[in-house]
Amino acid sequence: MRLEIGNFYVKDIIFGNETSYRDGILSINKEEALKIVKEDEHITYADIVIAKPGDEVRIVPVKEAIEPRYRVGGGPIFPGVTGDLMQCGNGKTHALKGCSVLVVGKHWGGFQDGLIDMSGEGAKYTLFSSLKNICLVADTDEEFERYEQQKKNRALRWAGMRLAEYIGNCVKDLEPHETEIYELDPVTKRSKEINDLPNVVFVMQPQSQMEELGYNDLVYGWDCNRMLPTFMHPNEVLDGAMISGSFMPCSSKWSTYDFQNFPMIKRLYQEHGKTINFIGVIMSNLNVALEQKERAALFVAQMAKSLGADAAVVAEEGYGNPDADFIACIVALEDAGVKTVGLTNECTGRDGASQPLVTLDRKANAIVSCGNVSELIKLPPMKTVIGELKSLARDGLSGGWADDEILGPSVKEDGSIIMENNSMFCGDRVAGWSTKTMVEY
């Protein structure tokens, strides 16, 4: 499979009479864009606000991030979700780089939502502070889950995808600034020079813990809780096969933007043919019952061994219960003779003194840490809030609280906040963006 991603770099975003891209300037016709958003009758309120790096802006509750794209030759950006099923990862796709569509609740948040600061101390915690963000601020009539701590956010998430497709369409007839090419020969038809290199497989564990449909990540529109480990071409992940769900404390999650730009996949591509033979991706899952976890680990190990893998990288989306899947998978691979490195964050408590993962094993002796979900973060007030700041304390965001006997409420009267890293939107960047690690003293 050969995927060509044509990149259009966005220098600035403005509102204008048309949605267009010229000389690095993305112009958005807000009225047209909002019509696309409001195609879903469940959307009761919607606005679009632009937030740029350096702005004195705090955004909360953030639910999703998507890179605007266009599939050259036609077809949806997200097959099986925003349109008919079709193969991802082969052909040409145009991408607007340096920007994202952020889906933000007008009022109501939940356990899975997060916060972004566009400047100041908080900006260093999340990749999205460095992007120009097209914030879709919206509300719905989905009263059945308004006061639920865990929300599916379906209408809002789908509205964000429609908006990303609409904006991406403006570059359909243009020539990109540069083109990234991702191509792998079939596993059994590679040259001797490549086959003589160490064979490496990337094992991804997207969030799929919820047995009720609607919360989990999707693969071609299929709920990942209903799948068994599956061999996929890495191009499929980069080209819209994977959609972020609405579950998992926010610092640990992979947004759809992360799937579209997955750094670990791109890094393995960079080494392919030089230091490694990048075999491809085993898309696994995260389960609830112990038997399910063991079954998935056995499938992953068998698949990796059958593909001839010498080494593997395993990355989990989440922590806590998923740690059991993560460690079981590493152990099964090691038992199969596949040298394995893990990629995850940790939950070591606010003081950093707790056990980092729920379960551990001596065979999991090479783990890259992306940070501590429980780290306390104190941030001063921001001049502007997009969304509603009260949601951090009121709505059960995983790193916020209404009151604490020692720390008081997360949101102070002056607009300053104290929260756990848990609430920082994709803050631990487990996809491979992370600049953080843990230090042993």
Side-chain angles (χ1 to χ4, degrees), residues 11 52 74 90 94 108 146 168 177 188 205 222 296 301 305 307 339 344 355 365 370 375 388 390 415 440:
K11 298 176 183 176
K52 303 174 186 178
N90 206 36
H94 286 174
W108 305 100
R146 172 155 290 174
H177 296 139
T188 59
Q205 295 179 314
W222 186 257
K305 196 65 177 175
L307 289 165
K339 294 296 182 183
T344 184
Q355 180 171 306
N365 58 7
C370 301
E375 179 186 357
E388 186 168 87
K390 291 179 181 177
E440 184 175 352

Side-chain angles (χ1 to χ4, degrees), residues 221-366:
W222 186 257
D223 193 295
C224 288
N225 184 266
R226 300 298 194 264
M227 68 179 285
L228 287 169
T230 302
F231 183 65
M232 292 181 66
H233 197 289
N235 291 5
E236 294 178 282
V237 181
L238 298 176
D239 196 34
M242 300 297 300
I243 298 297
S244 178
S246 190
F247 179 72
M248 184 41 53
C250 207
S251 71
S252 306
K253 78 180 294 172
W254 296 337
S255 68
T256 298
Y257 183 99
D258 288 306
F259 282 119
Q260 292 172 298
N261 294 278
F262 220 90
M264 194 66 233
I265 290 177
K266 292 187 176 183
R267 187 73 180 92
L268 291 167
Y269 253 119
Q270 288 174 6
E271 295 301 317
H272 178 67
K274 300 175 184 175
T275 62
I276 65 168
N277 175 18
F278 181 22
I279 296 175
V281 171
I282 297 176
M283 191 64 66
S284 188
N285 47 3
L286 299 167
N287 303 285
V288 179
L290 181 59
E291 182 183 340
Q292 296 169 347
K293 298 174 186 293
E294 292 172 343
R295 183 184 298 112
L298 291 174
F299 265 102
V300 168
Q302 175 273 125
M303 207 174 296
K305 196 65 177 175
S306 297
L307 289 165
D310 300 303
V313 177
V314 179
E316 68 167 331
E317 182 188 4
Y319 70 94
N321 187 294
D323 292 344
D325 304 75
F326 178 67
I327 295 298
C329 187
I330 292 174
V331 170
L333 286 164
E334 288 281 346
D335 286 344
V338 180
K339 294 296 182 183
T340 305
V341 174
L343 179 62
T344 184
N345 53 8
E346 304 178 42
C347 183
T348 58
R350 293 176 180 176
D351 61 359
S354 299
Q355 180 171 306
L357 302 176
V358 167
T359 182
L360 294 169
D361 192 284
R362 291 184 181 276
K363 293 174 183 175
N365 58 7

Side-chain angles (χ1 to χ4, degrees), residues 36-56:
I36 300 296
V37 168
K38 293 177 180 177
E39 286 177 358
D40 187 335
E41 61 184 12
H42 292 294
I43 303 289
T44 57
Y45 169 90
D47 192 16
I48 297 172
V49 182
I50 298 168
K52 303 174 186 178
D55 288 351
E56 294 181 52

Side-chain angles (χ1 to χ4, degrees), residues 39 77 81 122-123 170 184 202 205 213 228-229 233 288 330-331 362 374 389 391 393 398:
E39 286 177 358
I77 298 179
V81 179
C170 75
L184 291 176
F202 183 35
Q205 295 179 314
L213 300 180
L228 287 169
H233 197 289
V288 179
I330 292 174
V331 170
R362 291 184 181 276
S374 301
L389 185 58
S391 66
S398 52

Side-chain angles (χ1 to χ4, degrees), residues 26 63 73 109 118 122 136 145 151 153 158 171 182 186 191 197 216 247 258 309 315 342 370 394 400 405 423:
L26 173 62
K63 301 173 181 293
M118 296 302 296
L136 169 60
E145 67 173 13
K151 297 174 174 62
N153 287 320
W158 262 245
V171 295
Y182 298 97
S191 67
L197 295 169
N216 299 309
F247 179 72
D258 288 306
C370 301
R394 182 192 63 211
E405 61 182 14
S423 278

